[in-house]
Amino acid sequence: MFAELAACAERAFSHDPNTTLINLRQQLGEAMAQDIALRLGIEVEERTGQSDLLYRIDAALGLDPTVRELFHTLRIEGNKATHHFRTQHREVIRGLKVARSLAVWFHPAFADPDFKAGAFRPPEDPSRELLDLQAEMERLRGELASATEQADAQRRLAELEARENVAGKLGQAERYSRGWEGRTIAWPDAAEGHFHVPCVFSCNGRPYLPQCVSALVVPIGSVEGSRCAWLIR
């Protein structure tokens, strides 16, 4: 009977841990106490509470303090589950350990003196999977944030490098524009000189590609030592 009561309580663990703790207290714990009372000839009335019954058993039998504490712990935790209506799986595992310790004491004491219990094997905690999943999600969010920040930094660096490249070529383009002769109209610069073309830049020796030539961009040959310069009309 006791094994079935314990198994019934454990079966509810996954989907209703609160019920597991209530059953351990109201069924298994009370059934053990009533069985002991019957063996000792202690009268149990319908209104006899678990606390009062344990007091009578202790007075008659002289319970070991550890056993007495196990009975009361199971009773108190079961009462909490009854009135609070919500118990976490990890809290119920502690209740299962208490109930098992009580059963390990009870069975050799009143049924089989040679009984040897194995190691405690807790049921699988379904909330553990959820916690692991949430932890993995947080880790991935962190990696995504880092990757996003890295991508933003790389994009910003590329923009700055492009601006640096353009800024570094402006002086060269101005020199080419001043040095090219082929127009009679010139635009004055800020240093009492003249630009002869609106915009010019150097290819710095890169191969000439005919497909780059268009109505707006044409090669104009060597300017001040550059192998090839381009005019943007």
Side-chain angles (χ1 to χ4, degrees), residues 119-130:
F120 174 71
R121 292 185 299 175
E124 184 176 351
D125 184 353
S127 66
R128 182 71 263 167
E129 181 179 357
L130 177 60

Side-chain angles (χ1 to χ4, degrees), residues 28-41:
L28 183 61
E30 291 186 5
M32 286 184 181
Q34 291 174 11
D35 183 85
I36 296 172
L38 181 63
R39 293 173 186 272
L40 298 176

Side-chain angles (χ1 to χ4, degrees), residues 1-7 9 23-42 44 49-50 53-54 56-58 61 63 67-68 70-72 74-75 95-111 115:
M1 177 184 70
F2 298 117
E4 178 56 32
L5 290 175
N23 288 349
L24 289 176
R25 184 266 190 210
Q26 292 183 347
Q27 295 183 4
L28 183 61
E30 291 186 5
M32 286 184 181
Q34 291 174 11
D35 183 85
I36 296 172
L38 181 63
R39 293 173 186 272
L40 298 176
I42 298 174
V44 180
Q50 179 75 343
L53 182 58
L54 291 174
R56 296 182 188 180
I57 292 173
D58 188 25
L61 188 61
L63 289 173
V67 175
R68 183 170 60 246
L70 290 173
F71 268 115
H72 283 295
L74 195 60
R75 176 182 62 83
L96 287 169
K97 289 180 178 179
V98 170
R100 176 187 178 275
S101 297
L102 198 56
V104 168
W105 165 81
F106 179 89
H107 193 66
F110 298 102
F115 172 75

